[in-house]
Amino acid sequence: MMARRPAMSVMVLNAPFLPRFSRPQRSPAVTKSATLYFPLFLAQAAAVLDADGFAVDLVDAPADGLELGDVVARAVQSAPKLVVIDTSTPSIAADVAAAAALRQTLPGLFTLLVGPHATALPDEVLTSRPWAVRAVARREYDLTVLELARVLDSGPATPERLAKIEGLSFLDDAGRVVHNPDRPFIDDLDRLPPVAPVYKRFLDIRQYFNPNAKPPMVTLATSRGCPYRCSFCLHPQTLTGRAARCRSIERVLDEVAWCLDNFPGLRTVFFEDDTLTADRARCKAFCAAIVRRGLAFEWSANSRADLPAEVLFAMAKAGCRQVCVGFESADPAALSSMKKGLGVERMLRFRADARAAGIKVHGCFIFGFPGDTEASIMATIDFALRLGPDTAQFYPVMVYPGTEAYDDYRARGRIEAADWRDWLTPQGLHNCVVRNETLSPQELVRLCDLARRRFYLRPSFLVRRALAAAVSPGEAARTLRAARTFFKHLVFGSKV
């Protein structure tokens, strides 16, 4: 019998940058609340490769505290033929540097960059250090990575062979950038294997944290894509698309059941869909299926502030504990400019219905869109206090390449940054790089600091949080983990 050829090795890498840098989130940073997202998209690509027989090594350097030298040493041991490296706007120089270091040590290595920044600016990424980056996989990259791995496993990576891979951009032998046609989005997401076994094999779930979920938690997705048009939202415009595509409910719940059986002490599942509640009928069917199967677990999800009360009550009955909601602003001009498609009265009704259903609300607010003034932002702060979400975040608008908001601010000459690293402070926190008609970056940061202090230093809020932590160990763990870093920034404010 002929001996089987050893499986080709592939490293899937969330590269080193800053300690606890949360690259996979929509606004990548070292966060004030110590949030660290699961590398969901990378893990999904790793699962696809693993299911096809490749020898996969998923490395999450920020979660594991690995430096670049550690990653290179690990690559020497596993000898990958392909490395898949995630990208974000503020970390892009480090992402390319990781590719360069790996290629310098393993000259035959094929370095592929993926993710939002590489998708938005493939020409710049490929030509910044041409010998370091061999190719970019644009948009949703699971099947592009798989096809590339198969090509590399079966022969040389010639331009002729690379040119047949949809969704790939690369440099030809003359150093010219070649963009292959876009790969269609995956309509049948059930084609993709579950990510949870990859988490179990490569990640320590205790390292990850989201203030919307009691730790320890895992992040799963039931769908990709969002039908709404918010101009600033990163993933629908760079990775997942504007049309929602869904996994079958039973497949999702099979994965949830696997997590409950295989992650001892698991407290929460966070469904990181762009908007889990976009399809209300499916959301209700999802909740009914959880109840029918007798799956007892707490979960949280992203939602819009337009759900009918009946959907919220169905979610609560199925174990939903909290939703993360983008209210963004109380100002009609700002809401219109960001294409939010919601008004203040609908938001207030949603909040009342969520409270009645017993679902906590984390509210997100953004300052600095066209039309925003200091007066309108102060009105939004007052609105946030009136709305009364259980927790809240206040940020200057963060614009990233690949979004309509970035193109708009750039066209107006309102981005004040010399380098992609300027999207973060030296410590890695979110930085403000935009101004609008009346407000500078410094003024927007000052107003965000003011909003946080007014919201979180209210005696009523502090008493409520203390009581919640006293009666729930999970709530206490969540509060203390976020508070370790958050209150330092709350007291001393932000620096720009």
Side-chain angles (χ1 to χ4, degrees):
M1 179 182 293
M2 183 179 295
R4 291 188 61 186
R5 182 161 55 92
M8 187 184 98
S9 177
V10 182
M11 175 178 278
V12 182
L13 175 63
N14 189 20
F17 180 37
L18 298 169
R20 304 291 294 179
F21 176 66
S22 188
R23 187 182 274 107
Q25 67 186 53
R26 289 169 177 79
S27 293
V30 178
T31 73
K32 294 180 174 70
S33 58
T35 296
L36 189 68
Y37 271 49
F38 277 79
L40 175 61
F41 289 106
L42 283 180
Q44 187 66 79
V48 168
L49 290 165
D50 182 69
D52 206 59
F54 291 94
V56 178
D57 186 17
L58 174 62
V59 183
D60 190 348
D64 291 337
L66 301 178
E67 302 291 340
L68 187 53
D70 302 319
V71 172
V72 171
R74 187 157 160 174
V76 169
Q77 285 188 324
S78 61
K81 194 168 185 178
L82 167 66
V83 61
V84 181
I85 303 175
D86 199 10
T87 64
S88 73
T89 293
S91 68
I92 188 60
D95 307 336
V96 174
L102 287 163
R103 282 215 74 201
Q104 188 172 15
T105 303
L106 301 168
L109 181 65
F110 194 103
T111 49
L112 176 74
L113 269 58
V114 300
H117 193 86
T119 290
L121 299 173
D123 295 79
E124 179 181 304
V125 169
L126 285 165
T127 58
S128 60
R129 295 173 77 170
W131 60 273
V133 181
R134 292 293 309 276
V136 161
R138 308 185 309 274
R139 305 202 308 179
E140 184 179 60
Y141 54 81
D142 318 75
L143 300 185
T144 304
V145 168
L146 176 61
E147 188 174 347
L148 174 62
R150 288 172 172 172
V151 165
L152 296 175
D153 196 31
S154 62
T158 63
E160 293 74 23
R161 302 183 78 213
L162 296 179
K164 298 177 181 178
I165 302 174
E166 290 182 318
L168 196 73
S169 297
F170 65 96
L171 293 175
D172 66 14
D173 291 339
R176 294 170 300 203
V177 176
V178 177
H179 297 299
N180 296 346
D182 286 337
R183 180 177 295 274
F185 289 112
I186 303 169
D187 286 328
D188 180 12
L189 292 180
D190 283 349
R191 293 175 60 190
L192 301 176
V195 298
V198 171
Y199 289 167
K200 179 74 173 179
R201 183 175 163 194
F202 294 106
L203 308 179
D204 179 354
I205 68 168
R206 296 169 298 178
Q207 297 284 3
Y208 300 92
F209 177 65
N210 189 310
N212 298 306
K214 295 176 186 175
M217 48 86 72
V218 296
T219 296
L220 304 176
T222 83
S223 67
R224 288 179 178 178
C226 182
Y228 301 105
R229 306 299 303 182
C230 302
S231 66
F232 58 88
C233 196
L234 181 63
H235 285 172
Q237 297 183 77
T238 58
L239 288 178
T240 58
R242 294 292 198 183
R245 298 157 288 127
C246 300
R247 299 171 65 191
S248 65
I249 290 172
E250 294 305 320
R251 285 287 293 273
V252 174
L253 296 185
D254 286 346
E255 187 170 15
V256 169
W258 191 95
C259 289
L260 295 174
D261 288 340
N262 287 274
F263 293 116
L266 180 68
R267 279 198 173 111
T268 316
V269 176
F270 180 57
F271 292 111
E272 174 63 337
D273 300 43
D274 290 303
T275 309
L276 176 70
T277 60
D279 184 335
R280 296 172 185 177
R282 178 179 180 269
C283 185
K284 289 175 67 176
F286 178 68
C287 295
I290 292 174
V291 174
R292 184 182 68 250
R293 290 182 56 159
L295 291 171
F297 68 104
E298 287 192 2
W299 55 277
S300 56
N302 298 316
S303 173
R304 265 174 72 87
D306 61 356
L307 285 186
E310 65 182 56
V311 178
L312 287 162
F313 276 89
M315 292 167 67
K317 183 179 179 181
C320 180
R321 188 191 69 86
Q322 179 161 315
V323 288
C324 181
V325 179
F327 297 105
E328 322 306 4
S329 177
D331 183 66
L335 289 169
S336 176
S337 68
M338 70 178 76
K339 302 181 181 179
K340 188 65 186 178
L342 282 174
V344 165
E345 292 307 316
R346 185 66 189 91
M347 296 176 191
L348 288 168
R349 187 161 77 252
F350 168 86
R351 178 66 186 107
D353 289 341
R355 185 182 285 112
I359 294 178
K360 296 180 183 296
V361 174
H362 176 75
C364 304
F365 299 87
I366 301 176
F367 301 162
F369 267 89
D372 248 346
T373 64
E374 180 159 354
S376 72
I377 289 173
M378 294 301 293
T380 293
I381 298 172
D382 291 339
F383 170 69
L385 299 178
R386 176 187 170 200
L387 188 71
D390 296 275
T391 53
Q393 64 186 47
F394 302 88
Y395 284 114
V397 58
M398 304 297 294
V399 298
Y400 297 98
T403 65
E404 293 177 22
Y406 175 83
D407 291 341
D408 180 49
Y409 279 80
R410 186 183 181 198
R412 295 170 186 252
R414 291 178 180 162
I415 297 178
E416 298 189 359
D419 187 84
W420 299 123
R421 180 61 175 79
D422 291 341
W423 263 245
L424 301 177
T425 69
Q427 297 76 30
L429 302 173
H430 290 111
N431 192 23
C432 184
V433 297
V434 303
R435 57 182 176 85
N436 70 359
E437 301 93 332
T438 61
L439 296 167
S440 69
Q442 293 77 15
E443 290 167 322
L444 290 171
V445 168
R446 174 182 61 81
L447 290 166
C448 289
D449 287 340
L450 173 65
R452 280 188 286 270
R453 291 192 186 100
R454 287 189 61 191
F455 188 91
Y456 283 104
L457 296 182
R458 291 173 294 156
S460 60
F461 175 84
L462 295 172
V463 169
R464 189 167 66 248
R465 295 301 296 173
L467 290 174
V471 300
S472 169
E475 195 66 36
R478 183 176 78 99
T479 300
L480 290 172
R481 192 161 177 177
R484 286 189 193 119
T485 58
F486 178 74
F487 278 98
K488 175 182 68 175
H489 298 294
L490 187 64
V491 172
F492 295 106
S494 306
K495 301 289 189 294
V496 175

